[in-house]
Amino acid sequence: MPSLNGVKAFESAARFESFAKAAEELNVTPAAVSRLVRLLEESLGVALFERTPNRLTLTGAGQSYRAGLTPALDQIATATEQVTAAGRPKVLTVGVGPTFAIRWLIPRLADFSAVAPDVEVRLTTGGATASFGADWSCGISLGNGRWPDVKAEEMIRAELTPVCAPQLARNLLHPRDLAGVRLLHVGHAAEDWSRWLQAVGIAAPPASGLTLAYYGQALQAAADGSGVAMGIRPYIDDDLAAGRLVAPFKQSVPKGQSWYLLVRPGRETEPSFQAFRSWILRAVTVR
């Protein structure tokens, strides 16, 4: 068998018809490529190139040798990738907002790991205001389903309903009773309370309140007894099931938006995304 380094040097130089370009590809000097090819020719006993001052041309033997080497080296590269990939976890980078991640996704990731143990999930900052990251495998975002250059699949329709600590709920028998308690608002979703109150027949929201930056902060404040927050599903599902929060009223009002699973065209066929998509679409139906 000839030297593999010599074979690689010859195959690269044959493709480019240049020692200099082969040197760039192999990250060595042109002189090193020339020397490796010369040693290969000596070991084979045939000339592979005709060398002129301004041109490098394959001989008949060189053309025949290159025709057999290129597919063989491709097969080696493919086999090597398959072997090394088999030992590596598949990485799935999910762009998701912090509240959705903390209040819904992270508590369920152990279940995903059980059904797809070979997929390593990495969460990165996302959400409605974040652009789809170049390093994301997929994203989860709240919106109307229209994002440029991204495929969007609806997962969960967002619904609004007030929530509070159990001890506070005892005095809330009708939405009118909200006039006597502190309302917890979310700064980037200031219309939530107005939407819900108008839907249940109360024209204007009470004046008192406290504004927080994120849904997660408002829901934590509600669980601590600081007031009544406008809960949004699915953020509140686990807290309602555990009794940390109570929905004192039966009325649930659509927010007019949904959570979508986002993916760039061409990446939806990747096995790690397919596994995640199948799992999360099943998970969101268990409410």
Side-chain angles (χ1 to χ4, degrees), residues 62-121:
Q63 291 175 354
S64 177
Y65 199 32
R66 184 213 161 178
L69 284 182
T70 298
L73 290 175
D74 287 344
Q75 289 178 356
I76 292 172
T78 299
T80 302
E81 173 60 24
Q82 289 174 345
V83 169
T84 56
R88 295 196 305 261
K90 300 181 182 69
V91 175
L92 184 82
T93 302
V94 183
V96 60
T99 304
F100 191 98
I102 293 170
R103 301 194 71 86
W104 193 88
L105 183 57
I106 291 174
R108 290 164 175 79
L109 281 181
D111 179 63
F112 176 67
S113 296
V115 300
D118 61 331
V119 178
E120 176 186 333
V121 176

Side-chain angles (χ1 to χ4, degrees), residues 5-42:
N5 286 336
V7 167
K8 288 166 56 182
F10 163 72
E11 193 276 337
S12 181
R15 276 189 288 109
F16 292 115
E17 295 186 344
S18 168
F19 287 153
K21 291 182 179 179
E24 292 180 8
E25 180 178 67
L26 300 175
N27 198 30
V28 295
T29 65
V33 174
S34 178
R35 179 175 178 276
L36 287 169
V37 173
R38 179 70 70 183
L39 291 173
L40 178 64
E41 289 175 318
E42 291 176 359

Side-chain angles (χ1 to χ4, degrees), residues 205-220:
S208 63
L210 173 67
T211 299
L212 299 108
Y214 304 108
Y215 281 110
Q217 295 173 344
L219 295 175
Q220 183 60 55

Side-chain angles (χ1 to χ4, degrees), residues 188-250:
H188 64 82
E191 75 287 351
D192 283 355
W193 270 110
S194 296
R195 179 186 292 270
W196 188 88
L197 289 167
Q198 290 174 11
V200 300
I202 298 179
S208 63
L210 173 67
T211 299
L212 299 108
Y214 304 108
Y215 281 110
Q217 295 173 344
L219 295 175
Q220 183 60 55
D224 292 339
S226 297
V228 181
M230 180 52 65
I232 179 172
R233 297 183 186 274
Y235 291 169
I236 59 176
D237 289 349
D238 291 348
D239 283 334
L240 291 177
R244 290 186 294 269
L245 289 172
V246 173
F249 313 117
K250 295 181 180 180

Side-chain angles (χ1 to χ4, degrees), residues 89-196:
K90 300 181 182 69
V91 175
L92 184 82
T93 302
V94 183
V96 60
T99 304
F100 191 98
I102 293 170
R103 301 194 71 86
W104 193 88
L105 183 57
I106 291 174
R108 290 164 175 79
L109 281 181
D111 179 63
F112 176 67
S113 296
V115 300
D118 61 331
V119 178
E120 176 186 333
V121 176
R122 297 179 182 176
L123 302 183
T124 188
T125 302
T129 60
S131 301
F132 197 98
D135 61 329
W136 295 8
S137 305
C138 60
I140 297 170
S141 191
L142 179 67
N144 56 16
R146 294 188 295 273
W147 285 271
D149 305 320
V150 173
K151 291 186 175 181
E153 186 170 8
E154 187 179 45
M155 298 192 306
I156 312 171
R157 292 185 180 179
E159 298 177 355
L160 302 172
T161 189
V163 293
C164 61
Q167 63 271 23
L168 188 58
R170 300 188 189 103
N171 299 320
L172 299 176
L173 305 178
H174 188 275
R176 290 190 300 267
D177 297 332
L178 291 169
V181 298
R182 173 188 284 177
L183 300 188
L184 305 174
H185 302 270
V186 176
H188 64 82
E191 75 287 351
D192 283 355
W193 270 110
S194 296
R195 179 186 292 270
W196 188 88

